[in-house]
Each structure stands twice: as C-alpha cells, then as structure tokens.
Amino acid sequence: MFGDYSFVITNNSAIDTFIVNLELAFRNTVLASGTDAFAQSEISLDNVTSATEIFFSDLSSDTVNGNQKYVFPSFTNVASGSGGSLVDIGSLILSFTLAPGAVVNLGDGSFEVNVDGGALAQGAFSANVTTFISVDSVEKQQAPPPTVPEPKTLFLLVAGLALFRLANRRSHCFSFR
C-alpha cells in the first residue's frame, strides 16, 4: 500500500513576510513474527522548493534478514535483532519563512507513505502508519523601521548646525589677539 500527499503554501502579499510553522505528528509501527515474515513502512516528506528531504522514518521488521530502523535525522540503522515490533512516534515543527511572492512546495509527487509486508512461511506481519500535518502558527514579520529620518529629526539637525555656525561666527568677531 502507498499514499501520497503534497501541498503548496504561497505568500500572495506584495510587502509582508510570514513565518509559517507546521506541525507533523506521526506514528510508524511494524511487526513481523514467525519463521519467515517481514513488514516494512516508510514515511518521507520533501521540500520540493529547496530540493531537501525534511523528514523520514523507515522501519523494517524481518525475521530472516534482521531489522532496520532509520529515523530522522539519523542516517544510521538503530535497530537490532530479527522480527518483533519496531516503533517510531513523535511530532516536530517545520518552519518556513515566506517572503512576498514566495512559494513552498511540500511533497514531490512520489509516494510519501509506503507500507509493505509478507509471510513467506509460517508467520504474521503488520504495519501501521499515521501522519497528520496541521498549521501550528503563522506570524507576520514586523517591517523594518524606516531608514529615512523623520521631518522632526531633520529639522533639529539643520537648526543645530545653523546655531553652531552662528556661534562659531560670533566667536571670531569678538576675538582679541
């Protein structure tokens, strides 16, 4: 069995930048028992816009060839033994900064959820994958303060320079040598 999901987040604003936080909650379990059985399940999520894999969970319970457990962010097998139950449960926040007109495309069109298994002799297998992606928060970024001096500040600067010039001129008029 397999599943596919993909979606696009677009900032249609011409001036505002947003930080979008998505929560990915997941549960990935496999179980194989008997003399020759296996169960494998995989969850992955790609950011197509930046061409990066942002999450994965790959479990394989195999009574003959041994177990494998690759979980985000490790690329090493953290499982041991043969057969039995393997579980990967958790949630994480995926954060994206969307400038005006920016797009984030999640899911690359390939299968993001894949479940496989079989019992070739006496044995049993099961696999269960649950994923839920929700919007955790959307925050509008504050615009940077203006870099052009305000009229009051400019007026004070010009008035101060004029007074300095006047005071400097008067001191030269009354100087005795």
Side-chain angles (χ1 to χ4, degrees), residues 7 12-13 26 45 65 82 88 100 126 128 147 150 160 171 176:
F7 51 96
N12 290 324
S13 171
F26 63 94
L45 184 60
N65 298 312
S82 295
D88 186 18
S126 68
N128 182 357
T147 56
E150 293 186 22
S171 69
F176 297 102

Side-chain angles (χ1 to χ4, degrees), residues 119-135:
L120 304 175
Q122 292 290 340
F125 68 95
S126 68
N128 182 357
V129 174
T130 305
T131 59
F132 185 74
I133 298 175
S134 61
V135 176

Side-chain angles (χ1 to χ4, degrees), residues 3 21 25 109 163 166:
N21 294 308
L163 287 173
L166 183 62

Side-chain angles (χ1 to χ4, degrees), residues 13-59:
S13 171
I15 57 172
D16 296 321
T17 297
F18 295 92
I19 295 179
V20 177
N21 294 308
L22 303 177
E23 181 180 8
L24 170 64
F26 63 94
R27 178 182 176 91
N28 190 4
T29 61
V30 293
L31 169 67
S33 61
T35 56
D36 192 0
F38 76 97
Q40 190 268 336
S41 65
E42 178 184 1
I43 307 168
S44 67
L45 184 60
D46 294 326
N47 182 342
V48 178
T49 307
S50 65
T52 57
E53 184 174 45
I54 54 178
F55 174 76
F56 66 90
S57 173
D58 188 359
L59 305 178

